[in-house]
Amino acid sequence: METSNRSEKRTKIIYWIFTLWMALGMVSTAIVQLMKNKDELANFTNLGYPAYLMTIIGVWKLLGVIAILIPKRLLLKEWAYAGFFFVMSGAVISHLIVGDPAGRTFPAVLLLVLVIISWYFRPANRKITIIEK
C-alpha cells in the first residue's frame, strides 16, 4: 500500500511540474501572439499563416490553460489537451516543412512534449473513466 501511495505522489509531482511548465509556456506564447509581437508575426508569416490566426490561437491557448488547471470538467480538459496537441504538433510540422532551423523549431517541440507528459501523468481525478457494461 505504501508503494502505491509513493507512486501516486510521484505521479502527482511529475504532473504538476510539467503541467505548470506547460501552462506557463502556453500563457506566455499566447500573450506574445495576442500582442502581435513583431518577431512572432514574422514567424507566423514565415510559416505561411495569416496574422489573424495569432489572435485565434492566443485566445484558445488561454482558454485551454484555464480548462486544464480548473478542477473537474474532465471532458473540457480532454478537449484542451487535444487542442494543445494539434496546435503544437501542427507548429512543429510547419517549422519542418518550411525548413526552419532547430532553434526556431525547438520551442514548439518543447511545448508539444510538455503537453504529452502533462496529459500522460494526470491524476485519476483528472481523467475520464469509461465504464464498460
Side-chain angles (χ1 to χ4, degrees), residues 33-49:
Q33 290 164 342
L34 291 171
M35 292 177 60
K36 300 281 192 286
N37 173 278
K38 68 178 172 97
D39 292 334
E40 187 66 8
L41 183 57
N43 187 34
F44 255 68
T45 55
N46 177 56
L47 295 174
Y49 296 117

Side-chain angles (χ1 to χ4, degrees), residues 13-120:
I13 290 169
I14 292 169
Y15 167 77
W16 281 111
I17 288 170
F18 283 90
T19 300
L20 292 174
W21 193 11
M22 175 197 68
L24 178 62
M26 290 297 179
V27 168
S28 63
T29 55
I31 290 168
V32 166
Q33 290 164 342
L34 291 171
M35 292 177 60
K36 300 281 192 286
N37 173 278
K38 68 178 172 97
D39 292 334
E40 187 66 8
L41 183 57
N43 187 34
F44 255 68
T45 55
N46 177 56
L47 295 174
Y49 296 117
Y52 68 81
L53 190 59
M54 291 172 64
T55 302
I56 295 169
I57 291 175
V59 169
W60 282 348
K61 284 180 177 180
L62 294 176
L63 293 173
V65 166
I66 292 167
I68 286 172
L69 293 179
I70 63 171
K72 303 199 176 29
R73 307 284 187 240
L74 302 181
L75 184 59
L76 194 57
K77 288 181 193 315
E78 290 298 323
W79 277 81
Y81 275 116
F84 284 161
F85 178 82
F86 293 133
V87 167
M88 298 322 303
S89 63
V92 170
I93 293 166
S94 296
H95 283 289
L96 293 174
I97 288 172
V98 300
D100 273 346
R104 290 188 84 171
T105 307
F106 179 75
V109 172
L110 176 61
L111 277 173
L112 178 59
V113 168
L114 294 174
V115 167
I116 293 167
I117 293 172
S118 172
W119 176 83
Y120 182 81

